[in-house]
Amino acid sequence: MSSLFKTPKMPPLPPVQPLPAPPPPVPEKISSEEKEAIAKEQAAVERRRKGRKSTILTSPLGVQESEETKLKTLLGK
């Protein structure tokens, strides 16, 4: 069958367009008071994140206790 039909040819790729020029940087107009407020807010978020992590008792791998510590002893532990 391949002798009766010719395989279609792939069309040529379109030319690559250059990337547009990036916009010029805009100077920041944030006062020092606003910068301090932002820094305080970010610090508070980090503190809350740390506090929440300390309450998680397992790791992503699961409980890391060995089976020996779970077993009861003769003394009633």
Side-chain angles (χ1 to χ4, degrees):
M1 287 292 261
S2 65
S3 62
L4 296 176
F5 299 105
K6 293 184 179 180
T7 57
K9 292 186 179 180
M10 191 167 143
L13 295 174
V16 177
Q17 298 293 328
L19 293 175
V26 178
E28 291 187 23
K29 296 181 180 178
I30 299 176
S31 68
S32 61
E33 295 146 355
E34 290 175 346
K35 286 182 182 180
E36 289 175 14
I38 292 170
K40 285 181 183 179
E41 185 178 335
Q42 288 176 346
V45 168
E46 288 298 318
R47 276 195 309 275
R48 279 184 255 140
R49 237 185 238 162
K50 282 184 181 179
R52 184 94 192 263
K53 279 186 179 179
S54 67
T55 63
I56 299 172
L57 300 177
T58 59
S59 71
L61 302 176
V63 179
Q64 298 294 320
E65 293 180 5
S66 65
E67 289 296 322
E68 294 176 10
T69 58
K70 291 182 182 177
L71 298 176
K72 292 185 178 185
T73 63
L74 293 175
L75 298 175
K77 281 191 174 184

